[in-house]
Amino acid sequence: MEDLRELCPLMEQYGVDLVINSHTIVYERSHPIHNGKVDFENGIVYIVAGGAGAMPDWFLPKRDWHTAQSIAVPHFLHVVTTTNSIELQAIDEQGRLCDNFRLYKDSSGKRIQF
């Protein structure tokens, strides 16, 4: 975890919008984070997609300031990208929508909406 945190300043410097990784057995989406704080204009959204979802709800890694959504059910991600947008949906094994994330940018690459 500390190794990943060392990469945050580099990703922030180069304007990364979204980081998707997998480690735990839950789904978690952060608020946009920049320099260790929620920042809707410049922040990076971090998503952990574990897929298996076998972790009990009481163990979910919720952080009031950090976590926008967290679930512990088997799931997959459906991601659609265009030249100026990305939409990500977390869908459970029953086909139900668990989370929905959208990011839009204008033609200059400036973030215009989450």
Side-chain angles (χ1 to χ4, degrees), residues 65-77:
W65 71 271
H66 175 274
T67 302
Q69 180 64 277
S70 184
I71 56 170
V73 298
H75 63 277
F76 67 92
L77 300 182

Side-chain angles (χ1 to χ4, degrees), residues 51-70:
M55 189 176 290
D57 286 340
W58 59 266
F59 193 68
L60 288 175
K62 286 232 180 228
R63 297 170 188 90
D64 288 344
W65 71 271
H66 175 274
T67 302
Q69 180 64 277
S70 184

Side-chain angles (χ1 to χ4, degrees), residues 21-42:
N21 66 67
S22 180
H23 179 345
T24 59
I25 53 178
V26 299
Y27 170 83
E28 181 180 11
R29 175 175 54 87
S30 75
H31 294 291
I33 306 291
H34 184 269
N35 200 21
K37 297 178 181 160
V38 174
D39 182 340
F40 285 94
E41 187 173 327
N42 300 304

Side-chain angles (χ1 to χ4, degrees), residues 2 4 14 20 23 38 46 53-55 57 60 70 79 85 106 113-114:
E2 291 304 317
L4 181 60
Y14 287 100
I20 302 173
H23 179 345
V38 174
Y46 296 90
M55 189 176 290
D57 286 340
L60 288 175
S70 184
V79 182
S85 69
D106 65 17
Q113 181 182 351
F114 269 109

